[in-house]
Amino acid sequence: MILKERKIETWIGDKTNCYIIFEENSKEIMCVDPAGDVDKLEDLIKNVFKGTLKYIYLTHCHGDHIGGVTELKNCCGGKILIHRIDSEGLNDVNVNLSQYIGLPKIELEADSRIDDGDKIHLGNLEFKVIHTPGHTAGSTCIYCEKEKCLFSGDTIFAGTWGRTDLPTSNREDIMNSIMNKILVLPDDTFIFPGHGKATMLKDEKPIYLELKPKMWWT
């Protein structure tokens, strides 16, 4: 696997991490959360990797993660994948917040609606879908056991977790998602979040183990 990260400027001022995942044998590509800069993403796909865009994976439906999806699909193809709950938010500006964050109205249709436990194959790579509600009701992470990596969207970041003051978000849900679905992965898992720097699961675990006794729902 070859991984390329591109930090994309958005109106919110916090760059969105877009990931291009390239499987060398099949030359298949998955793009995670294309927020914009589509000309540069297209160059990577067509001229650098010289591969085929198989999937456009959306960790959730917020405008700062989906701003470049339509343009990217038009120029490179690829199937749009998102959890079935957040697929509804793609066409609801009150949920995807596209106009709130200064983007034109965004309306998208998913090609496939995914669920917890689904497997996504990119050549010889297998990614498991992990439904992690909290930041949005349909937030997901994808985990590749072979490469020991998790693409976490806005569920977990280095040193903190995603916002829970937005439509369909819930603090109890995000804590349960992190504790019961992410921290159970191997300690040497690399976490590639939707914003900020990458981290390792073993470095994040102490935060939540210390916090757990204070959680009223445990």
Side-chain angles (χ1 to χ4, degrees):
M1 182 183 89
I2 299 176
L3 177 64
K4 177 67 176 178
E5 176 190 274
R6 179 154 194 88
K7 293 187 176 293
I8 298 174
E9 294 276 3
T10 65
W11 182 87
I12 63 172
D14 189 8
K15 294 180 181 178
T16 298
N17 296 335
C18 171
Y19 299 100
I20 298 288
I21 304 166
F22 177 65
E23 202 282 322
E24 302 98 312
N25 294 321
S26 64
K27 297 190 180 298
E28 292 179 341
I29 293 170
M30 178 161 57
C31 181
V32 180
D33 291 348
D37 288 355
V38 173
D39 55 335
K40 297 178 176 63
L41 299 179
E42 181 183 11
D43 182 59
L44 279 170
I45 291 165
K46 293 183 176 180
N47 301 320
V48 177
F49 292 131
K50 299 181 180 179
T52 301
L53 182 60
K54 187 175 182 180
Y55 297 120
I56 299 171
Y57 190 91
L58 306 178
T59 60
H60 61 292
C61 66
H62 284 161
D64 61 324
H65 289 252
I66 66 174
V69 172
T70 298
E71 186 181 353
L72 182 62
K73 184 175 176 65
N74 287 341
C75 69
C76 296
K79 291 185 177 181
I80 300 170
L81 309 181
I82 191 170
H83 192 274
R84 65 179 61 255
I85 296 175
D86 266 27
S87 68
E88 303 301 320
L90 293 177
N91 286 306
D92 187 343
V93 295
N94 295 313
V95 176
N96 67 43
L97 305 176
S98 55
Q99 293 179 309
Y100 173 75
I101 63 173
L103 295 171
K105 184 177 181 180
I106 296 176
E107 291 185 342
L108 295 172
E109 287 293 337
D111 293 301
S112 293
R113 291 160 178 80
I114 56 175
D115 293 298
D116 186 59
D118 284 352
K119 303 293 178 59
I120 299 169
H121 292 94
L122 200 69
N124 293 323
L125 297 175
E126 181 179 270
F127 296 84
K128 180 182 178 181
V129 174
I130 305 174
H131 181 209
T132 52
H135 181 63
T136 64
S139 286
T140 59
C141 303
I142 49 173
Y143 172 62
C144 181
E145 182 178 10
K146 180 179 180 181
E147 297 290 339
K148 299 181 179 181
C149 63
L150 179 82
F151 296 89
S152 66
D154 286 3
T155 297
I156 187 171
F157 303 111
T160 189
W161 53 87
R163 288 178 61 174
T164 57
D165 59 340
L166 302 171
T168 83
S169 67
N170 182 282
R171 184 175 182 271
E172 181 176 346
D173 285 347
I174 204 169
M175 289 301 172
N176 283 331
S177 292
I178 292 171
M179 293 295 298
N180 300 323
K181 294 188 174 184
I182 293 178
L183 297 189
V184 297
L185 298 174
D187 281 354
D188 59 352
T189 300
F190 288 93
I191 297 175
F192 296 102
H195 304 276
K197 64 181 182 179
T199 184
M200 291 196 73
L201 191 143
K202 67 180 180 180
D203 295 325
E204 302 308 310
K205 184 178 285 188
I207 296 171
Y208 301 94
L209 294 181
E210 181 179 344
L211 184 63
K212 186 177 180 179
K214 304 173 186 177
M215 296 179 185
W216 63 265
W217 61 85
T218 57

